[in-house]
Amino acid sequence: MTDIIKELEKKREQAKLGGGKKRVDAQHARGKLTARERIDIIIDEDSFEEYDMYVEHRTNDFGMEKQKYAGDGVVTGSGRINGKLVYIFSQDFTVFGGSLSEAHAEKICKVMDMAMKVGAPIIGINDSGGARIQEGVASLAGYAEVFKRNVLASGVVPQISVIMGPCAGGAVYSPAMTDFIFMVKNTSFMFVTGPDVVKTVTQENVSQEELGGAKTHTSKSSVADGAFNNDIETLHEVKNLINLLPSSNREKSTNNKKDFQDLSPDYSLDTLVPDNPNKPYDMKELITKVVDNNYFFEIQKDYAKNIVTGFGTVEGRTVGFVANQPLVLAGCLDIDSGKKGGRFVRFCDCFNIPIVTFVDVPGFLPGISQEHNGIIKNGAKLLFAYAEATVPKITIITRKAYGGAYVVMSSKHLRGDINYAWPSAEIAVMGAKGATEILYRNEIKDKEKIEKRTQDYTEQFANPFIASKRGFIDDVIRPHSTRKRIATALENLKDKELSLPLKKHDNIPL
Ligand code: HXC
């Protein structure tokens, strides 16, 4: 028995060495942590239960039978993040460049299956040269098994991908099918074909960073949801997100309701909206003043900045926030914000997270490029997502809510549960100036007359009362009471039940 225990200890110690000291040093020299160091940071102390530590690859081609490493380039298991159960895999770049073999894929699939069975989030730390070249199609089959599980797990348990090194070729499609992707600045990249292939095929010269680095994917492609400075910061942010998310779609809603939460009025909100309707203000100020401890976890903060999306808690309950941002494009909806907002709303709906929407939207962004690139279908993504969402939906119009964009932004007509307006709200078909220029086209040259008409229109229509008279707005509330009103609405709606007509699945405009 003692001998076996000794043997076991030896095997464990060996497995922990990964691809050996030289390769570990090289990993550190690049500013990257090893697979196990990453797990140590993200998982609560003493809670990691490792599986398949002794698994080895089964290839005999290319002299591979002489190169075997316990664990085969990926560390897998379960653990707790601030007490919450998660399943995790962390690719070990020091073993065959973290490349995916058949056995490596089987290990990943095992933890994915467990996470699905018990209803716990899956975290995948990616740092890999892609398919294990020595294994050929067996490796491709392994990827396919992972992809299939990504799809089956979608909407069942939250899936988070953390890109901490290379992620290239078909390998990118596993993270692409997860809920959130976080990248590390300067040390991670994702692309389907690298700079050399790009040069050969299109004669374009591009660096790895420019083609698929963190900045590119968080600001241009929207493939990634956040980028952070180094491994440690990134892993801590993933922990922060996990704290906010439910473990699975079986959880009704995440509720860490504390005994006491300060709901006292915030009078600074009464002056947030400037008197001049053309002056912008920062919608994030409103969000941070509404959430507990002013803590807002923003998703896709560098992409489509005209719409803000992210999570926070109100009285301990997790809420998904969607808000037009008057500071960027005057808060107009466009192609990018339609995609960003639509995806976020759908995530919340999958996982029973109530949605709070702050509206200040002058309409859809006009332009040839918007039309030619599909504002119709992309704008419809947000509309569709709001209309199908059955989670509690609370909407607050702070200023403009014009035309089709008014309808899109979680209006009463799309089954908004509680729809409030601030006194500064202007709910109308369009802005007063545009409206009078159409209605009184024959007077357009008479500046004074048009100005008077605009003023009349503003007085008559640019307010929250016409919509309130019809019941499209449940109440006109004082800005300083916003947090309290949201907290009450969330409490009242906590047992909301609403279902959709029976169907296999919908056909959202993709
Ligand atoms: C086997 C691999 C490997 C791979 C890297 N290694 N990628 N072993 N299969 N795919 C090994 C290297 O041989 C080396 O071994 C060690 O990992 C580190 O690699 P380096 O090249 O020294 O590191 P670096 O200079 O940092 O470059 C990293 C890299 C590069 C950019 C990832 O290794 C690379 O381009 N690898 C090949 C990438 C690739 O073409 N993959 C297949 C893509 S196709 P030693 O023993 O020296 O430490 C694909 C299809 C998926 O993935 C389809 C899914 C449907």
Side-chain angles (χ1 to χ4, degrees), residues 129-432:
R132 177 86 47 87
I133 294 168
Q134 297 90 333
E135 289 206 11
V137 73
S139 162
L140 299 186
Y143 270 117
E145 291 294 330
V146 176
F147 295 167
K148 182 175 70 193
R149 283 167 178 79
N150 286 133
V151 175
L152 296 178
S154 182
V156 179
V157 293
Q159 300 180 75
I160 298 176
S161 298
V162 197
I163 315 297
M164 302 200 123
C167 182
V172 295
Y173 286 108
S174 171
M177 291 190 288
T178 62
D179 296 302
F180 299 106
I181 299 180
F182 295 103
M183 295 182 75
V184 186
K185 289 179 189 166
N186 303 315
T187 51
S188 71
F189 56 85
M190 298 177 80
F191 36 66
V192 172
T193 55
D196 295 345
V197 178
V198 169
K199 172 119 178 79
T200 311
V201 177
T202 69
Q203 284 81 53
E204 292 164 300
N205 281 311
V206 65
S207 68
Q208 209 162 267
E209 182 61 24
E210 217 182 315
L211 186 64
K215 188 163 179 217
T216 299
H217 285 313
T218 48
S219 63
K220 286 191 181 148
S221 71
S222 84
V223 163
D225 300 283
F228 305 100
N229 289 318
N230 52 50
D231 283 18
I232 297 175
E233 191 184 323
T234 308
L235 294 164
H236 279 290
E237 290 297 342
V238 174
K239 282 171 87 148
N240 289 338
L241 178 60
I242 286 285
N243 281 345
L244 288 161
L245 299 184
S247 293
S248 76
N249 66 344
R250 300 175 211 168
E251 247 177 55
K252 204 153 176 235
S253 74
T254 310
N255 186 356
N256 308 312
K257 203 168 168 178
K258 312 271 175 355
D259 293 338
F260 172 77
Q261 284 283 344
D262 184 11
L263 294 176
S264 54
D266 185 335
Y267 291 100
S268 69
L269 289 176
D270 290 343
T271 51
L272 178 68
V273 174
D275 291 336
N276 178 349
N278 298 321
K279 251 188 146 178
Y281 60 94
D282 188 359
M283 193 61 103
K284 283 191 213 169
E285 188 180 330
L286 170 56
I287 301 174
T288 48
K289 285 180 172 166
V290 158
V291 290
D292 296 342
N293 309 316
N294 310 113
Y295 179 72
F296 178 50
F297 189 99
E298 199 171 346
I299 296 290
Q300 296 218 341
K301 86 173 164 50
D302 295 318
Y303 182 77
K305 294 180 184 177
N306 44 329
I307 201 161
V308 178
T309 54
F311 302 103
T313 59
V314 177
E315 279 200 304
R317 283 198 177 91
T318 293
V319 174
F321 287 91
V322 181
N324 308 116
Q325 174 56 286
L327 286 179
V328 182
L329 296 173
C332 269
L333 292 178
D334 64 351
I335 292 172
D336 294 348
S337 58
K339 288 195 286 189
K340 172 178 165 179
R343 184 162 165 78
F344 183 78
V345 166
R346 280 167 68 85
F347 175 82
C348 293
D349 194 42
C350 284
F351 290 105
N352 308 318
I353 298 172
I355 301 165
V356 170
T357 305
F358 291 122
V359 184
D360 188 347
V361 64
F364 284 95
L365 185 69
I368 297 171
S369 118
Q370 285 291 312
E371 297 294 345
H372 286 189
N373 288 302
I375 179 72
I376 297 174
K377 278 224 162 162
N378 287 292
K381 285 177 180 153
L382 184 56
L383 168 59
F384 198 111
Y386 268 128
E388 74 171 349
T390 56
V391 289
K393 291 186 285 193
I394 301 158
T395 308
I396 293 158
I397 300 174
T398 57
R399 190 166 63 177
K400 295 167 194 165
Y402 294 165
Y406 150 71
V407 175
V408 171
M409 294 303 295
S410 200
S411 62
K412 199 57 135 186
H413 323 286
L414 302 184
R415 303 189 294 176
D417 295 299
I418 299 290
N419 293 68
Y420 290 142
W422 281 7
S424 47
E426 303 171 17
I427 306 163
V429 172
M430 57 173 71

